[in-house]
Amino acid sequence: MVELKTDTSIDAMYEAGQVVGRALTAVRQAADVGVSLLELDEVAHDVLRGAGAGSPFLGYRPSFAPTPFPAVVCASVNNAIVHGIPTAYRLRDGDLVSIDCGAELGGWTGDSAISFVVGKPRPADVRLIETAERALAAGIEAAVVGNRIGDIAHAIGTVCRAAGYGIPDGFGGHGIGRRMHEDPPVPNEGRPRRGLPLRHGMALAIEPMLIGGGTDGFHEAPDGWTLRTNDGSRAAHVEHTVAITDAGPRILTAR
């Protein structure tokens, strides 16, 4: 069931979203050659603690997971698409990093992700990340009252496919509010004018995931969480929490 949020609730979600935005900004600033993924997780954790916010990631255990998630961010490097567990791995020059972070504040949740390159970037990685961001912007632009979920999916998928990138099937965005994952699912590819109508008060986490090699294949790593590309190519993941309003889409995790 989709819960429509009141304007007051959307304002509260914005406050949670701003904590997420600050955490991601702090992680991006701290990320450098030689810094470990565990250290980046602690940077984000410090921001959440300082804001009096909790983490919807820490201890989260969906049905597919063999263990509860042990961190407050997902840290996915190079050929990891999403759900990477922060480890002692130290970043190297040219690594492509995707950081996903959430925050719980006042009973409401925010969720957002960024992708970036540490050190000197490869042109192909820059193009991949820029395309992911364009896909996210297209999805947000389609998130208006009167459109449908399929319009968001179609907008994202069109940008990704036109650039020659793959899209991992079965993984995408979701409703969000009192919990991190709520109805409805928001695919990253689909047919326009299909699916649930968008109404004022809906809140969605819109999150394109792109596979650089152009194929859609992926597999689950032995840790039971991380998704990796089958062809070994790099991946990018970006995300914003967005409220559907009569005045247009409102980005709640803007940085």
Side-chain angles (χ1 to χ4, degrees):
M1 186 178 80
V2 176
E3 178 191 4
L4 297 180
K5 282 73 177 176
T6 66
D7 292 346
T8 299
S9 297
I10 290 172
D11 287 342
M13 288 186 67
Y14 176 82
E15 295 303 319
Q18 292 308 288
V19 176
V20 178
R22 293 198 298 273
L24 289 174
T25 298
V27 168
R28 179 66 187 93
Q29 291 172 344
D32 203 353
V33 174
V35 176
S36 76
L37 300 180
L38 283 172
E39 289 169 336
L40 295 183
D41 183 66
E42 188 57 31
V43 167
H45 209 163
D46 282 345
V47 173
L48 266 60
R49 282 190 291 251
S55 169
F57 289 18
L58 185 62
Y60 180 59
R61 189 177 185 181
S63 58
F64 68 80
T67 58
F69 196 77
V72 303
V73 301
C74 295
S76 306
V77 180
N78 295 332
N79 70 343
I81 306 168
V82 288
H83 302 165
I85 296 175
T87 65
Y89 175 83
R90 295 192 176 277
L91 295 172
R92 301 172 183 173
D93 186 46
D95 276 347
L96 195 166
V97 184
S98 297
I99 301 291
D100 192 354
C101 183
E104 296 171 334
L105 185 70
W108 297 98
T109 308
D111 187 11
S112 185
I114 56 174
S115 287
F116 56 88
V117 176
V118 173
K120 185 177 181 180
R122 304 177 184 181
D125 290 343
V126 172
R127 178 174 177 267
L128 176 63
I129 294 170
E130 288 178 345
T131 304
E133 291 173 344
R134 284 195 295 110
L136 176 58
I140 293 172
E141 185 177 0
V144 296
V145 172
N147 273 357
R148 293 176 176 264
I149 290 291
D151 293 304
I152 298 175
H154 180 70
I156 293 170
T158 297
V159 172
C160 297
R161 295 301 189 188
Y165 296 126
I167 301 171
D169 183 47
F171 287 86
H174 48 88
I176 186 171
R178 298 183 186 277
R179 293 175 290 109
M180 180 168 59
H181 290 132
E182 298 183 353
D183 288 332
V186 185
N188 285 327
E189 191 167 34
R191 297 174 62 187
R193 310 310 302 164
R194 295 290 191 273
L196 193 71
L198 302 180
R199 298 171 59 191
H200 179 90
M202 292 175 66
L204 307 174
I206 300 173
E207 50 180 322
M209 305 164 190
L210 280 64
I211 297 175
T215 64
D216 295 351
F218 64 93
H219 62 276
E220 187 180 89
D223 63 23
W225 278 98
T226 309
L227 301 184
R228 295 191 180 277
T229 62
N230 281 350
D231 60 9
S233 65
R234 296 188 172 202
H237 171 217
V238 293
E239 176 185 19
H240 271 309
T241 294
V242 179
I244 312 297
T245 80
D246 289 331
R250 180 182 178 187
I251 300 174
L252 305 181
T253 48
R255 296 177 288 277

